[in-house]
Amino acid sequence: MRPDMPADHATEAERLLRTAGRYPEDQEALLLQAAAHLELAGDRTRATTLYDELLSSSPSNPHLIRSLKAANLWEYGHEAEARAIIEGLRTAMPSDAGAWEIMAETLEAHDELALAEETATQAATLLTRDVSGPDLPHPTQSLLVTRHRIRRMLALPHDDWDTLADTLHTAAVPLDELHDPKRLWSLGSSDPAELQAEITRLRSELGSYRTALSRPFPVAVLHWPEAELDELLTSYPELESEYPTYRAHLTDIEASLRELAAAGTPNLGIVPATVPSYEAFAASESSSPANADLLPQYTTTLAARGRATPWPPARGASCWCGSGRTYGECHAAE
């Protein structure tokens, strides 16, 4: 589902809330998605209530949730409370780049550019202390790009982190052009000429984005670890024809991948499956997990999300099946 109208977002939020009730192990992620849809539906009060419920349940990432709550509160007039949350988070100095980026973007969105730059710089100082350059995690790289944009709006000269953001940015349009203040302001303009000029610029960039998006996902095969396969077949015996035994499942994976490789198919991979994620995927498709036609779609979705591991492993590496033996001693030898 791709909601476009407030009512669509409200419907999607309700679906996510129902799914979260069925899968408590995935509840935090599902409720965060539901809160985002509630915000897009205009129900910001209820979104805040949902953030509060999450914070009261010992979440895995409370700093991220607090930053999202602050952003939401500011949008419907609770500026003082939002500022207090952001100040508290800055004092706590979270290690999550996502929380810092949301704080900086919230301040930026409300024309607090100097404080936004100060917040982003505080985060960069903390998060690049032990890692630098291309080894930085993607969320930290994204934070540096946000910081670059804020500093460009303030007409500040480049520093080392801005230079690093430029280096990490691989699109054809340089960050300095992408973050040109006149360009950013034109996005909020009601002048048709300015908007048309921005549309023209955006169209000129579509080529690089299309190239990136057209890169093939790994051709992947689904692997159910033995405990997961047992649970799957206990819950959905209709799938026994797909997976008669665990050993047959492993043999079929290796044989399928070798056949694809022999046919010249590049970029092969294996994606590990779990019953909860498969059930959640089936619910998102309004279908039953017993429907075998969902399995290829589930595999493709996991691969598209970067869950695939390359096949074949190096002969000295552990086998993909989880046996504990090297690949050369295990499935490569069969």
Side-chain angles (χ1 to χ4, degrees), residues 30-187:
L30 291 167
L31 291 181
L32 281 175
Q33 291 181 53
H37 282 289
L38 287 171
E39 290 189 36
L40 291 167
D43 197 348
R44 294 190 174 275
T45 303
R46 192 175 173 203
T48 296
T49 300
L50 200 51
Y51 290 133
D52 287 335
E53 290 177 6
L54 279 164
L55 289 168
S56 68
S57 62
S58 301
S60 62
N61 197 340
H63 294 127
L64 177 66
I65 297 170
R66 286 194 176 92
S67 66
L68 289 166
K69 178 183 174 181
N72 181 53
L73 284 168
W74 205 325
E75 286 298 325
Y76 71 107
H78 295 266
E79 177 183 338
E81 187 176 353
R83 285 181 181 274
I85 292 173
I86 290 173
E87 188 57 38
L89 286 169
R90 292 185 62 190
T91 302
M93 298 183 69
S95 59
D96 176 27
W100 285 105
E101 186 165 15
I102 290 167
M103 286 189 279
E105 288 184 338
T106 299
L107 292 164
E108 177 192 11
H110 295 280
D111 296 324
E112 296 282 353
L113 292 178
L115 188 54
E117 195 276 335
E118 183 182 318
T119 300
T121 298
Q122 181 184 355
T125 304
L126 174 68
L127 299 174
T128 63
R129 185 177 298 161
D130 302 317
V131 186
S132 62
D135 294 329
L136 286 172
H138 179 74
T140 304
Q141 295 185 28
S142 178
L143 171 71
L144 292 179
V145 171
T146 294
R147 180 179 179 275
H148 182 289
R149 181 182 66 244
I150 294 167
R151 289 172 59 81
R152 188 84 167 83
M153 292 289 287
L154 289 167
L156 295 173
H158 273 205
D159 61 9
D160 289 344
W161 283 316
D162 290 326
T163 302
L164 177 57
D166 284 328
T167 302
L168 296 171
H169 180 71
T170 57
V173 180
L175 277 185
D176 275 346
E177 182 181 342
L178 198 63
H179 294 163
D180 183 345
K182 292 181 179 179
R183 180 180 196 179
L184 295 174
W185 289 329
S186 73
L187 289 171

